[in-house]
Amino acid sequence: MRYKVTFAVGLALGYVLGTRAGRERYEQLKKSAREIAQNPAVRNAAETAGQSGRAFAGKAFAAVGDTVGGAVPASLAERVRVLRGRAGAGSEDEWGTSNT
């Protein structure tokens, strides 16, 4: 119950502060976020993290597949195959990022 009350107070406080900041501050924050997201260093870090995640997912899938003896659903197996195929390719992913 304590956490629910804390969450509600935080939500109310955020709403009040957000409405006082207004549209101008929102646009300013949005512009800053867009600039950060378009920074080549940030994009490269995101792509590297994505590749590491795909590699880890492949290893985890193999370990789980060995453990459960092939009882992994076909849809999951296909998704992992697709992700493995992307890990080696330098092409863009569905978010338009690439390791350039």
Side-chain angles (χ1 to χ4, degrees):
M1 183 68 181
R2 176 178 148 211
Y3 297 109
K4 290 180 182 179
V5 172
T6 304
F7 177 75
V9 169
L11 188 66
L13 183 62
Y15 177 77
V16 169
L17 293 176
T19 55
R20 287 190 180 167
R23 183 72 178 186
E24 183 180 326
R25 180 65 180 149
Y26 168 75
E27 292 296 333
Q28 200 176 34
L29 290 171
K30 192 168 114 176
K31 180 182 174 190
S32 296
R34 186 176 297 127
E35 288 173 355
I36 289 170
Q38 292 176 350
N39 184 334
V42 172
R43 292 181 71 143
N44 285 340
E47 180 63 25
T48 301
Q51 288 177 352
S52 298
R54 286 188 288 272
F56 180 74
K59 290 176 186 175
F61 176 76
V64 170
D66 292 343
T67 303
V68 297
V72 176
S75 60
L76 178 61
E78 179 59 29
R79 180 67 180 149
V80 170
R81 271 190 231 98
V82 169
L83 291 175
R84 281 183 180 168
R86 278 195 210 154
S91 63
E92 290 188 354
D93 61 14
E94 62 264 15
W95 294 286
T97 59
S98 64
N99 196 10
T100 56

